């Protein structure tokens, strides 16, 4: 299987000109610091207090005390194995690796016996912990840092994952079926026999947690159910179901509660529209129709990012309720930060990084493998990007504000996460 089909290459100076139209929201420092006891401690590296105290006590005079730890997950193959072709999938000797600040802190064998998959979309970095999903012929296994948390009968593909204290909340879609399941620590909290989510675990860069998210303290997700009466758009909010009345002319692309208000992203014959409190906001020109769109908040403002086509040409577009639309090159990828760091960074054509109004050259003449938007994250004034060169013999590296930190991994990096200490 050729894993480099998701590659992008900078070709003309026109892309730099297009890049200048990219919407850049004002960057702000990460002011929120999560309490020490907000995350579970881990067995494979020190907790936040111990780590910070160690730096202070052993760094010496003038030593820099870090306020952020950078976690990176990746898949490493034997040095002689061509991971891009992956001809021995399932029996390649792959290992799942977790790095903290560039140093390896965890290495797990992949395979059926270990119940760990080498697929990038089955690895989830949450608060510095590495969660994995694995499906056998009859059950689904969820692990954290290689240790089984729980398993349940049935084969589910995770479409959302969040933590609430010691509880692991997941949304799953049945493989080989049409059912959807919301679980807490593996036990079903809500189930529907026939339905579909509007999103996936790695489909919306505004939400690292996938379809499942929290808004104003409520666990939320939306889905489309189907019965003998037709299709129904449903919003789930902490155990309560709300059916939304949407005109038949619209095809719904996504539904999100943002800041307590319900936002509906849809399209009709005239293009893409955002509906909130009965008001409609047209997001694109009349002759362009959305092929795929997602939405989410950036600094309290609703943004929509998607691909549009007029039958002859495809473009990417970022729309904000504050500043309107910005058209981009069709290969552009966006990497918004978390809520405490309002800004948007972009990768243009796989060659240029646009961040805080500055355009950086990554590496001329290179192609890249992007497993998902999870390989990039903004935290404060720093933008982190895990890059996977497609050129044979090259190793992935971490890019931070123009500086590169190499790795010895023969394979790819699947996600990066900046965690406040």
């Amino acid at each position: 299987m050729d894993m480099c089909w998701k590659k992008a290459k900078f070709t003309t100076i026109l892309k730099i000109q297009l890049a200048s139209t990219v919407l850049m929201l004002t960057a702000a420092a990460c002011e929120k610091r999560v309490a020490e006891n907000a995350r579970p401690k881990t067995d494979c590296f020190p907790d936040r207090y111990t780590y910070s105290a160690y730096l202070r006590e052993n760094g010496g005079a003038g030593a820099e005390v870090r306020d952020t730890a950078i976690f990176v997950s990746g898949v490493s193959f034997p040095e002689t194995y061509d991971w891009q072709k992956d001809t021995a999938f399932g029996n390649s000797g792959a290992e799942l690796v977790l790095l903290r600040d560039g140093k390896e802190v965890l290495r797990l064998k992949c395979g059926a016996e270990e119940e760990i998959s080498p697929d990038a979309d089955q690895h989830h970095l949450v608060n510095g912990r590495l969660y994995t999903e694995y499906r056998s012929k009859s059950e689904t296994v969820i692990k954290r840092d290689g240790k089984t948390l729980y398993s349940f009968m049935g084969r589910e593909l995770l479409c959302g994952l969040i933590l609430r204290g010691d509880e692991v909340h997941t949304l799953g879609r049945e493989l080989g079926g049409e059912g959807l399941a919301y679980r807490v620590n593996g036990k079903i909290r809500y189930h529907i026999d026939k339905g579909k989510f509007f999103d996936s675990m790695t489909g919306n860069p505004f939400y690292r947690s996938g379809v499942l998210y929290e808004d104003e303290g409520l666990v939320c997700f939306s889905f489309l159910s189907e019965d003998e009466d037709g299709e129904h758009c449903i919003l789930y909010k902490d155990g309560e179901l709300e059916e939304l009345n949407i005109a038949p002319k619209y095809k719904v692309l996504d539904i999100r509660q943002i800041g307590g208000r319900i936002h509906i992203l849809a399209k009709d014959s005239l293009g893409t529209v955002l509906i909130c409190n009965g008001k409609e906001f047209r997001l694109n020109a009349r002759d362009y129709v959305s092929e795929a769109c997602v939405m989410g908040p950036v600094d309290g403002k609703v943004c929509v990012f998607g691909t549009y086509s007029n039958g002859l040409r495809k473009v990417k577009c970022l729309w904000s309720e504050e500043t309107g639309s910005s058209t981009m090159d069709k290969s552009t990828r966006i990497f918004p930060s978390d809520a405490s760091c309002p800004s948007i960074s972009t990768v243009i054509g796989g060659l240029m990084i646009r961040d805080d109004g500055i355009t950086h050259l990554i590496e001329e003449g290179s192609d890249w493998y992007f497993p998902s938007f999870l390989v990039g994250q903004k935290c404060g004034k720093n933008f982190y990007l895990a890059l996977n060169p497609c050129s044979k013999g090259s190793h992935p590296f971490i890019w931070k504000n123009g500086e590169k930190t190499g790795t010895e991994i023969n394979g790819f990096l699947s996600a990066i996460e900046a965690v406040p200490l």
Side-chain angles (χ1 to χ4, degrees):
M1 178 178 65
D2 187 356
M3 299 182 70
C4 275
W5 67 274
K6 292 183 180 178
K7 64 182 182 180
K9 189 174 183 180
F10 179 82
T11 55
T12 66
I13 193 68
L14 178 60
K15 293 187 177 182
I16 300 179
Q17 297 171 343
L18 288 171
S20 63
T21 65
V22 175
L23 173 65
M24 300 301 300
L25 302 179
T26 304
C30 284
E31 297 177 351
K32 295 183 180 179
R33 289 292 178 259
V34 182
E36 296 292 336
N37 61 357
R39 303 184 191 89
K41 290 180 171 59
T42 177
D43 297 329
C44 59
F45 44 78
D47 61 76
R48 282 137 301 283
Y49 172 78
T50 303
Y51 182 67
S52 299
Y54 174 83
L55 289 176
R56 287 193 294 269
E57 294 169 3
N58 298 278
E64 178 185 1
V65 178
R66 298 177 58 86
D67 63 355
T68 305
I70 306 303
F71 294 89
V72 180
S73 62
V75 179
S76 181
F77 298 86
E79 196 61 36
T80 57
Y81 184 72
D82 188 347
W83 65 270
Q84 297 182 34
K85 295 185 180 298
D86 203 18
T87 55
F89 177 77
N91 297 289
S92 59
E95 294 179 308
L96 179 57
V97 179
L98 177 64
L99 306 178
R100 174 175 174 150
D101 297 330
K103 296 182 179 180
E104 183 179 312
V105 294
L106 187 65
R107 181 175 288 261
L108 305 169
K109 290 184 179 180
C110 297
E113 184 176 347
E114 293 78 17
E115 296 180 321
I116 294 178
S117 171
D119 289 350
D121 59 1
Q122 295 182 48
H123 312 149
H124 314 293
L125 278 178
V126 186
N127 291 343
R129 309 297 294 270
L130 181 55
Y131 293 80
T132 58
E133 53 182 293
Y134 185 84
R135 288 168 291 279
S136 66
K137 293 182 179 180
S138 60
E139 66 175 3
T140 301
V141 181
I142 306 299
K143 295 189 175 187
R144 181 173 64 203
D145 297 336
K147 298 180 180 179
T148 300
L149 284 178
Y150 56 82
S151 61
F152 51 84
M153 295 302 296
R155 304 178 71 244
E156 290 184 9
L157 175 68
L158 293 194
C159 298
L161 187 155
I162 62 173
L163 304 181
R164 295 188 103 190
D166 294 330
E167 295 180 338
V168 179
H169 295 239
T170 60
L171 278 178
R173 175 175 61 83
E174 293 178 2
L175 293 181
E178 299 179 282
L180 308 177
Y182 168 44
R183 298 176 183 269
V184 178
N185 291 339
K187 297 181 179 180
I188 290 182
R189 184 72 59 90
Y190 178 78
H191 179 270
I192 185 170
D193 291 330
K194 191 173 184 180
K196 67 177 182 179
F197 296 121
F198 295 106
D199 201 350
S200 66
M201 191 69 192
T202 58
N204 189 336
F206 297 106
Y207 293 88
R208 294 180 66 91
S209 59
V211 187
L212 196 60
Y213 61 98
E214 290 187 87
D215 184 76
E216 297 195 335
L218 302 176
V219 175
C220 302
F221 62 90
S222 57
F223 59 94
L224 187 70
S225 69
E226 186 176 348
D227 57 25
E228 61 274 6
D229 296 325
E231 293 184 336
H232 310 272
C233 292
I234 308 295
L235 177 63
Y236 178 101
K237 296 185 292 184
D238 258 4
E240 296 184 0
L241 298 176
E242 181 175 353
E243 183 172 355
L244 306 179
N245 185 19
I246 303 173
K249 68 176 181 177
Y250 291 121
K251 178 181 178 181
V252 177
L253 302 175
D254 197 7
I255 297 172
R256 297 273 175 169
Q257 177 173 297
I258 302 174
R261 299 186 301 165
I262 299 174
H263 295 75
I264 302 167
L265 184 63
K267 68 178 181 179
D268 59 13
S269 59
L270 300 180
T272 309
V273 60
L274 181 64
I275 306 169
C276 181
N277 293 337
K279 295 182 179 180
E280 297 185 357
F281 302 88
R282 287 285 165 183
L283 308 187
N284 60 294
R286 185 184 180 89
D287 57 341
Y288 276 83
V289 178
S290 166
E291 290 193 344
C293 275
V294 293
M295 66 173 164
V298 175
D299 195 21
K301 305 298 181 182
V302 178
C303 292
V304 175
F305 179 69
T307 303
Y308 298 84
S309 172
N310 63 0
L312 299 174
R313 181 170 174 257
K314 291 184 179 181
V315 297
K316 292 284 182 71
C317 185
L318 180 66
W319 179 90
S320 166
E321 64 177 334
E322 182 177 42
T323 59
S325 297
S326 295
T327 302
M328 311 172 185
D329 176 78
K330 66 180 181 180
S331 64
T332 299
R333 294 170 172 84
I334 66 168
F335 303 92
S337 59
D338 54 41
S340 60
C341 314
S343 68
I344 289 179
S345 303
T346 62
V347 174
I348 306 140
L351 176 67
M352 311 296 295
I353 291 178
R354 182 79 171 171
D355 179 56
D356 279 348
I358 302 174
T359 300
H360 306 269
L361 177 69
I362 305 176
E363 191 171 301
E364 191 170 2
S366 294
D367 296 333
W368 311 95
Y369 168 51
F370 289 91
S372 73
F373 69 87
L374 293 174
V375 295
Q377 186 184 8
K378 184 70 177 286
C379 185
K381 295 183 179 298
N382 298 318
F383 177 51
Y384 304 90
L385 187 66
L387 281 167
N388 303 302
C390 283
S391 54
K392 193 171 183 178
S394 298
H395 295 282
F397 59 87
I398 300 168
W399 188 97
K400 173 192 172 184
N401 302 339
E403 299 180 358
K404 301 176 184 178
T405 302
T407 72
E408 297 301 319
I409 292 176
N410 176 46
F412 61 89
L413 303 178
S414 56
I416 192 168
E417 184 188 32
V419 178
L421 297 172

